[in-house]
C-alpha cells in the first residue's frame, strides 16, 4: 500500500471522465470524503459533494450546474464552485474547494 502525504495530488481518472458542464462525484475512501469535479469553460473545479444546507446532507453532484454555480437539489442553496461561497441559502457555511489539475490526460486532485 502506498501512503500519500496529506497534501499530495492523487489521480482520480482520465480527462474524458469529466465532460464539460457536468458534475462528477468521486469518493476518496481513505479520507471518507465525497468530492465533486466539474469542468466549465475547459477549467476543472473540485469541491465538497455534500451540501452544507441542513443537518441531512445532499449530494451536489445531483444538483443543477449553471456556469460556475451549483444548486443543491434538496434544499435550493446555490454555491460558487470556484470559491465555495454561498450565493444564497438556506446554507450558511461555504463548501470546501480543492486544487485540481489535468496533466497528460489525467485528472488529479489535492484534498
Amino acid at each position: 500500500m502506498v501512503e500519500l502525504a496529506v497534501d499530495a495530488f492523487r489521480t482520480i481518472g482520465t480527462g474524458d471522465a469529466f465532460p464539460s458542464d457536468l458534475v462528477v462525484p468521486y469518493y476518496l475512501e481513505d479520507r471518507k470524503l465525497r468530492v465533486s469535479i466539474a469542468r466549465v469553460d475547459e477549467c476543472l473545479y473540485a469541491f465538497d459533494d455534500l451540501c452544507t444546507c441542513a443537518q441531512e446532507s445532499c449530494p451536489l453532484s445531483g444538483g443543477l450546474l449553471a456556469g460556475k454555480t451549483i444548486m443543491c437539489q434538496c434544499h435550493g442553496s446555490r454555491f460558487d464552485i470556484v470559491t465555495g461561497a454561498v450565493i444564497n441559502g438556506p446554507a450558511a457555511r461555504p463548501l470546501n474547494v480543492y486544487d485540481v489539475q489535468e496533466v497528460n490526460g489525467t485528472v488529479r486532485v489535492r484534498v
Side-chain angles (χ1 to χ4, degrees), residues 4-27:
L4 295 172
V6 172
D7 63 348
F9 276 94
R10 60 184 75 200
T11 300
I12 59 170
T14 59
D16 59 358
F18 303 94
S20 293
D21 302 318
L22 290 177
V23 181
V24 179
Y26 188 82
Y27 183 66

Side-chain angles (χ1 to χ4, degrees), residues 32-96:
K32 298 191 180 0
L33 177 67
R34 290 173 57 130
V35 176
S36 280
I37 311 296
R39 185 186 302 271
V40 178
D41 297 330
E42 298 306 315
C43 292
L44 289 169
Y45 300 93
F47 50 93
D48 287 335
D49 185 43
L50 297 178
C51 72
T52 61
C53 302
Q55 296 288 14
E56 194 170 317
S57 298
C58 188
L60 291 170
S61 53
L64 176 65
L65 180 66
K68 296 177 184 170
T69 301
I70 187 90
M71 184 176 80
C72 174
Q73 65 181 336
C74 300
H75 309 105
S77 292
R78 293 182 333 144
F79 301 90
D80 181 317
I81 66 170
V82 178
T83 65
V86 176
I87 296 170
N88 67 302
R93 290 181 301 129
L95 299 173
N96 293 312

